[in-house]
């Protein structure tokens, strides 16, 4: 029941993107918009290419953002999809000697071991999960970071509910001039149905607001959280 889940604070954080890859996305984007509906993009070769290029354009920005988070002594659940990005995230944990688990279509028995490790080992601070193959819940996380969006709103909601024992911040990493713009638009529309079904109007309000946010300059250190309990934006500036 959605009403039994703790409230969430949702944020859309714009990250730096590779300009060369963004130009490739723009050229492919015109073809995609001509040949298929946006809702069918993830079912086409062009759509898959755009989705991959979006991950490629965002990869360095995603990794830099995650590296910044690791300075703080919190537990994180990080969602991605493409193997190369999941591998890069795992490499960051190894290089920084950060305790982590990675669950990406693991066998059920091994999955249980990993879940227990995240929930019971204070040195295990990060769970790296595939947003497509995610059917688990974890206790103890302080923040959920969705590095790659996906058109399937049910999978997005499932990712948000990966931590169910306390209120968490849910951060969506956004790449300007990528497929993310269309994905946020599509998700916000899909959330109308989900909100009605789940009796969670705030979820739709947050996604609609994130989709409609005016473009504005942010420093790399600025993080804007959408407070689900009010109209006020709460801004945290890191001390780095």
């Amino acid at each position: 029941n959605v009403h039994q889940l703790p409230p969430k604070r949702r944020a859309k954080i714009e990250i730096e993107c590779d300009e060369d890859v963004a130009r490739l996305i723009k050229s492919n984007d015109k073809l995609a918009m001509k040949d298929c509906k946006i809702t069918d993009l993830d079912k086409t070769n062009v759509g898959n290419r755009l989705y991959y290029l979006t991950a490629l354009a965002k990869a360095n920005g995603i990794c830099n953002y995650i590296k910044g988070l690791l300075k703080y002594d919190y537990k994180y659940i990080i969602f991605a999809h493409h193997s190369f990005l999941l591998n890069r995230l795992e490499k960051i944990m190894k290089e920084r000697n950060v305790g982590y688990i990675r669950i990406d279509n693991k066998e059920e028995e091994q999955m249980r071991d990993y879940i227990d490790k995240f929930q019971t080992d204070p040195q295990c601070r990060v769970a790296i999960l595939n947003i497509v193959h995610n059917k688990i819940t974890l206790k103890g996380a302080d923040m959920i970071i969705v590095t790659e969006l996906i058109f399937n709103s049910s999978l997005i909601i499932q990712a948000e509910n990966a931590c169910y024992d306390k209120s968490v911040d849910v951060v969506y990493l956004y790449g300007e001039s990528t497929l993310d713009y269309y994905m946020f638009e599509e998700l916000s529309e899909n959330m109308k149905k989900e909100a009605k079904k789940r009796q969670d109007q705030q979820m739709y309000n947050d996604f609609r607001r994130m989709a409609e946010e005016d473009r504005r300059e942010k420093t790399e250190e600025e993080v804007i959280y959408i407070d689900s309990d009010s109209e006020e934006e709460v801004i945290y500036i890191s001390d780095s």
Side-chain angles (χ1 to χ4, degrees), residues 13-24:
I13 308 299
E14 185 175 334
I15 57 171
E16 183 180 356
C17 288
D18 185 289
E19 293 181 2
D20 292 334
V21 181
R23 279 193 288 271
L24 276 177

Side-chain angles (χ1 to χ4, degrees), residues 15-16 18 54-64 84-85 88:
I15 57 171
E16 183 180 356
D18 185 289
T54 291
L56 198 61
K58 293 169 61 179
N60 286 338
I62 289 169
C63 290
N64 289 335
F84 83 89
L85 185 52
R88 285 191 63 175

Side-chain angles (χ1 to χ4, degrees), residues 29-47:
D29 176 64
K30 293 177 182 178
L31 177 63
M33 295 303 105
K34 179 181 178 181
D35 289 353
C36 60
K37 297 178 181 178
I38 185 63
T39 52
D40 295 329
L41 266 179
D42 58 338
K43 303 173 186 176
T44 68
N45 289 333
V46 174

